Amino acid sequence: RDKDESIREGEKLFDDLNYKISKGLSVVGKKFSNVCDDYLKQIETQIEIENKKSNKKQVQLKKQNSLEKKLKDQSLICERYLKPYFGKKDLNKVSNSDITKYRDWRNSYWITGEGSKLKYIEYERGGKTIRVEPRRKVPTSSTLNSEETVMRKIFQHGFSKGYISQVEIPTIKSERVKSNQRPDFTLEDYRTLIRKSWWRCKNSPDERTRRQRLLLHNFILLMTNTGLRPVEGMTLRWRDISYHISPTSKKKHIILSVRGKNKKRDLVGQPSVNTYIKRMKERQKEYSKENGFQFKGKEEYVFSNEFGEPIKSFKGGFDSLLRDSDLEHDNHGGKRCIYSLRHTYGTFRLVYGNVDVFFLSENMGTSVEMIKKHYSHLKITQVSDHLTRVIKN
């Protein structure tokens, strides 16, 4: 309506654009949510390309599966956290202070924020929709780092498309990951745990409880003598168990083919595992006759109840056992959990088996660096024999 004002505004805009060009800044704004969608679309395109050229080759299929998992995980981060917070803002307008405010928002998301209003969250697993109650806690530094890695990728994608200049990308420096080291059991504590577990089995209030406790007892023994991750133990089937005869010692070793963390591997269990496995198999055969379900010892899950149904979790029973054994915490106040059984296996193999770190990392399905990181806490007294031993000629 005012020509002179229009001219002033036009000149102001013209000067602003010229300044951006002279400084190498972006001149075309793009909403964060649009760049986010464009980034995810790029991953989808990569999957389609791998799918067409794969021809079912193992290496290419592995790459395709990795991309599909990447898309699934990063889509969840974008939809749940990044787009709701930054979505309406232009990519080149996100500042360092916005990143700081986002972290505060993210830390409180499940406690007092939007997530606190959700009764359930749903996700897909094995073609089924799973509904669970969300964990209302502050995210770990590792979780935040993973999410901020996705954020950095989105800004870099925007830079490659010309939506933002390099100098406009905010500083996203993740915090150092705090060690999430779960405490293990000392040999004395482990013996106490096993004795208490067996006592609870013999003194169960009813038959149903006795059977549940027997299954938990064997689960503990198997986990501590194989180093399985909890998810690997829960998905173990009878067909995953085989045997190998050592060509040198002629000893028969039990081999478990396990899957977890999107990976598969074979591991060698301690000799005692064979006893536990046979015991559980015989018991499952008896249950099948008693309750009229078919048991072939192939596709069925190793950890199944008396009706042949797979066990979903041992957490409740294990926590109860820890309380009864007065072993909930270690000497440093660390809270023990089922994962502590895996770390106990690693500790025992290093201390009492003198196993080479490389071989142990292969058997546990982790890196040598992770072995060193998680077991750097070994007490000097636990390795005193190895520190003072003398090799005689």
Side-chain angles (χ1 to χ4, degrees), residues 359-373:
F359 295 141
L360 183 63
S361 70
E362 288 292 302
N363 208 47
M364 293 183 72
T366 189
S367 65
V368 172
E369 289 72 23
M370 289 301 288
I371 293 287
K372 290 179 178 179
K373 176 182 176 182

Side-chain angles (χ1 to χ4, degrees), residues 188-313:
E188 182 181 353
D189 285 344
Y190 178 65
R191 286 171 173 165
T192 299
L193 183 76
I194 294 301
R195 284 195 294 266
K196 189 65 176 181
S197 176
W198 185 239
W199 182 90
R200 279 167 38 110
C201 290
K202 293 192 294 182
N203 294 274
S204 300
D206 51 62
E207 180 60 19
R208 182 171 177 272
T209 303
R210 186 186 74 86
R211 291 178 175 183
Q212 291 175 342
R213 289 178 176 178
L214 276 173
L215 198 55
L216 172 62
H217 185 77
N218 281 283
F219 177 78
I220 294 169
L221 291 170
L222 189 72
M223 296 290 282
T224 316
N225 285 277
T226 58
L228 286 168
R229 294 182 176 90
V231 66
E232 293 170 342
M234 304 310 294
T235 56
L236 187 69
R237 297 174 187 262
W238 290 107
R239 59 173 165 78
D240 298 326
I241 301 170
S242 59
Y243 295 89
H244 168 73
I245 305 295
S246 171
T248 52
S249 67
K250 305 303 179 184
K251 290 182 179 180
K252 186 178 182 181
H253 298 287
I254 188 165
I255 308 296
L256 307 182
S257 300
V258 299
R259 60 198 62 79
K261 283 197 168 184
N262 257 13
K263 296 178 182 178
K264 296 180 181 179
R265 78 179 191 284
D266 291 341
L267 66 86
V268 181
Q270 290 298 99
S272 57
V273 173
N274 191 42
T275 302
Y276 312 143
I277 287 293
K278 286 182 177 179
R279 196 159 59 198
M280 285 191 289
K281 197 166 192 177
E282 288 303 315
R283 191 174 294 134
Q284 203 62 24
K285 287 179 180 178
E286 294 175 7
Y287 290 157
S288 68
K289 294 176 182 177
E290 177 184 321
N291 295 306
F293 65 88
Q294 194 174 40
F295 178 75
K296 294 183 178 180
K298 293 289 184 181
E299 297 301 317
E300 299 89 350
Y301 288 96
V302 171
F303 291 103
S304 301
N305 62 21
E306 67 267 37
F307 301 103
E309 302 163 340
I311 302 296
K312 294 181 179 179
S313 174

Side-chain angles (χ1 to χ4, degrees), residues 12 38 48 50 80 90 95 113 141 165 168 170 189 221 246 267 271 287 293 311 323 330 345 358 360 370 390-391:
K12 183 181 175 182
D38 194 43
E48 290 176 8
E50 291 299 324
R80 179 160 289 157
D90 283 350
S95 64
S141 53
S165 67
E168 290 175 301
D189 285 344
L221 291 170
S246 171
L267 66 86
Y287 290 157
F293 65 88
I311 302 296
R323 288 192 296 271
D330 66 0
Y345 166 83
F358 173 77
L360 183 63
M370 289 301 288
V390 177
I391 305 299

Side-chain angles (χ1 to χ4, degrees), residues 4-215:
D4 291 336
E5 186 180 352
S6 297
I7 291 173
R8 285 195 297 272
E9 288 298 320
E11 289 174 343
K12 183 181 175 182
L13 178 60
F14 183 75
D15 290 340
D16 185 47
L17 293 173
N18 271 330
Y19 173 79
K20 287 185 176 182
I21 291 170
S22 68
K23 295 296 182 180
L25 305 178
S26 58
V27 295
V28 180
K30 191 79 170 180
K31 298 298 181 188
F32 183 96
S33 59
N34 293 335
V35 180
C36 193
D37 291 338
D38 194 43
Y39 166 71
L40 295 174
K41 183 66 178 176
Q42 187 181 60
I43 301 177
E44 289 181 6
T45 303
Q46 289 178 294
I47 293 173
E48 290 176 8
I49 293 172
E50 291 299 324
N51 189 33
K52 287 181 179 179
K53 72 177 184 181
S54 68
N55 295 323
K56 304 303 180 184
K57 290 182 180 178
Q58 192 65 31
V59 175
Q60 288 162 333
L61 283 175
K62 186 176 181 180
K63 185 177 180 181
Q64 182 184 337
N65 291 337
S66 176
L67 284 170
E68 288 174 351
K69 185 179 186 304
K70 177 182 177 181
L71 177 63
K72 180 181 176 182
D73 293 345
Q74 297 193 5
S75 294
L76 179 61
I77 292 170
C78 288
E79 295 300 328
R80 179 160 289 157
Y81 306 118
L82 302 184
K83 285 173 67 175
Y85 191 85
F86 297 108
K88 296 179 180 179
K89 203 174 185 71
D90 283 350
L91 189 71
N92 60 348
K93 297 291 178 61
V94 178
S95 64
N96 289 337
S97 64
D98 290 326
I99 301 299
T100 300
K101 291 174 184 176
Y102 166 77
R103 286 179 179 137
D104 293 337
W105 175 86
R106 176 64 184 91
N107 279 325
S108 63
Y109 182 86
W110 293 106
I111 310 300
T112 58
E114 291 299 311
S116 64
K117 302 172 186 176
L118 299 176
K119 292 184 178 180
Y120 301 98
I121 55 174
E122 293 183 350
Y123 60 92
E124 296 289 329
R125 178 189 288 173
K128 295 182 179 179
T129 301
I130 309 296
R131 175 188 272 194
V132 296
E133 187 177 343
R135 295 180 180 178
R136 308 191 187 282
K137 63 177 185 177
V138 176
T140 63
S141 53
S142 177
T143 297
L144 286 176
N145 284 0
S146 297
E147 294 173 6
E148 291 183 358
T149 296
V150 179
M151 196 191 304
R152 279 192 291 270
K153 288 180 181 295
I154 291 169
F155 279 104
Q156 287 299 325
H157 178 74
F159 170 70
S160 69
K161 295 291 186 179
Y163 304 139
I164 189 172
S165 67
Q166 191 68 53
V167 294
E168 290 175 301
I169 297 176
T171 302
I172 309 172
K173 189 176 181 180
S174 300
E175 295 180 6
R176 185 175 180 179
V177 177
K178 297 175 183 177
S179 176
N180 190 27
Q181 184 174 289
R182 283 95 163 184
D184 53 19
F185 293 91
T186 64
L187 182 58
E188 182 181 353
D189 285 344
Y190 178 65
R191 286 171 173 165
T192 299
L193 183 76
I194 294 301
R195 284 195 294 266
K196 189 65 176 181
S197 176
W198 185 239
W199 182 90
R200 279 167 38 110
C201 290
K202 293 192 294 182
N203 294 274
S204 300
D206 51 62
E207 180 60 19
R208 182 171 177 272
T209 303
R210 186 186 74 86
R211 291 178 175 183
Q212 291 175 342
R213 289 178 176 178
L214 276 173
L215 198 55

Side-chain angles (χ1 to χ4, degrees), residues 346-357 359-360 383 386 389 391:
T347 300
F348 284 5
R349 290 293 80 221
L350 287 170
V351 176
Y352 305 115
N354 195 24
V355 175
D356 183 274
V357 175
F359 295 141
L360 183 63
V383 291
H386 302 308
R389 66 181 177 174
I391 305 299

